[in-house]
Amino acid sequence: QLQLQESGPGLVKPSETLSLTCTVSGGSISSSSYYWGWIRQPPGKGLEWIGSIYYSGSTYYNPSLKSRVTISVDTSKNQFSLKLSSVTAADTAVYYCARHGTTAQAFDIWGQGTMVTVSS
Amino acid sequence: DIQMTQSPSSLSASVGDRVTITCRASQSISSYLNWYQQKPGKAPKLLIYAASSLQSGVPSRFSGSGSGTDFTLTISSLQPEDFATYYCQQSYSTPPSFGQGTKLEIK
């Protein structure tokens, strides 16, 4: 069945750029029925949607993070990626990648999550 | 942005109890409401989508209802594996937003 797996550095310095990749296995990222998104969860806190991308490269972002976020897709590798620039301690969180439908943003398949700490 | 407010924030219950969690949206979201279960150290799991549709593989003791601004998640008979944190999420408008969570604990 379809699985998502996040990868990337677990420690990022303040003011630098956080970069994560989500690898999709057991299915194609090029499905016309789905978007692929990033969601984060600070320790002990709730969930925040960061942004989503379609296989064509069409993106939409949370306005609260839009100025710092870039999400891209590589269909040849069945991967999509997140870049978050100018990070601070407030960006410390577990970062999840997840799939949602094109008609409604119900996140039905999630990666296991990866903890990213922003610290010098 | 649409604000989602859950109540209660925490809840103690016993195995076999019927439990209801409430989610209120700051404006009407029709039936664009989803429910998730999250266990410690794990990713959230989709339980209910479109307010009342049960996600494939989710036990029938979970049910959802509501429309407009007020929604409920009901667990008809709590099982030991149901003790977790539950989140609602609106998918009516961008950005999709989540409630603050309801932690369901064993009494």
Side-chain angles (χ1 to χ4, degrees), chain A residues 4-58:
Chain A
L4 282 66
Q5 177 69 59
E6 305 89 351
S7 59
L11 181 65
V12 181
K13 290 182 168 57
S15 80
E16 294 190 345
T17 296
L18 178 160
S19 296
L20 296 174
T21 295
C22 182
T23 300
V24 179
S25 60
S28 174
I29 202 170
S30 299
S31 168
S32 60
S33 300
Y34 298 103
Y35 272 79
W36 307 90
W38 289 97
I39 297 154
R40 69 180 183 179
Q41 184 172 37
K45 296 188 177 180
L47 299 157
E48 179 182 34
W49 173 76
I50 300 170
S52 297
I53 190 165
Y54 195 56
Y55 75 94
S56 64
S58 173

Side-chain angles (χ1 to χ4, degrees), chain B residues 44-60:
Chain B
K45 173 187 175 182
L46 179 64
L47 299 176
I48 302 284
Y49 63 94
S52 60
S53 296
L54 194 66
Q55 176 70 355
S56 176
V58 174
S60 59

Side-chain angles (χ1 to χ4, degrees), chain B:
Chain B
D1 296 4
I2 297 175
Q3 307 304 315
M4 307 301 294
T5 304
Q6 291 180 230
S7 60
S9 295
S10 63
L11 174 61
S12 294
S14 301
V15 172
D17 284 353
R18 179 183 180 89
V19 167
T20 298
I21 298 169
T22 297
C23 178
R24 176 166 288 177
S26 60
Q27 66 183 74
S28 178
I29 58 171
S30 185
S31 296
Y32 290 90
L33 191 284
N34 311 306
W35 289 99
Y36 301 84
Q37 176 194 67
Q38 186 178 34
K39 296 182 179 180
K42 301 294 186 182
K45 173 187 175 182
L46 179 64
L47 299 176
I48 302 284
Y49 63 94
S52 60
S53 296
L54 194 66
Q55 176 70 355
S56 176
V58 174
S60 59
R61 62 180 180 273
F62 291 93
S63 63
S65 65
S67 65
T69 60
D70 294 318
F71 302 86
T72 58
L73 172 70
T74 299
I75 310 172
S76 61
S77 178
L78 272 175
Q79 298 303 300
E81 61 268 29
D82 299 337
F83 292 94
T85 300
Y86 293 83
Y87 293 93
C88 63
Q89 176 238 331
Q90 66 82 16
S91 53
Y92 179 79
S93 69
T94 299
S97 49
F98 295 83
Q100 81 279 14
T102 295
K103 187 174 183 178
L104 179 53
E105 299 175 303
I106 301 174
K107 183 182 287 185

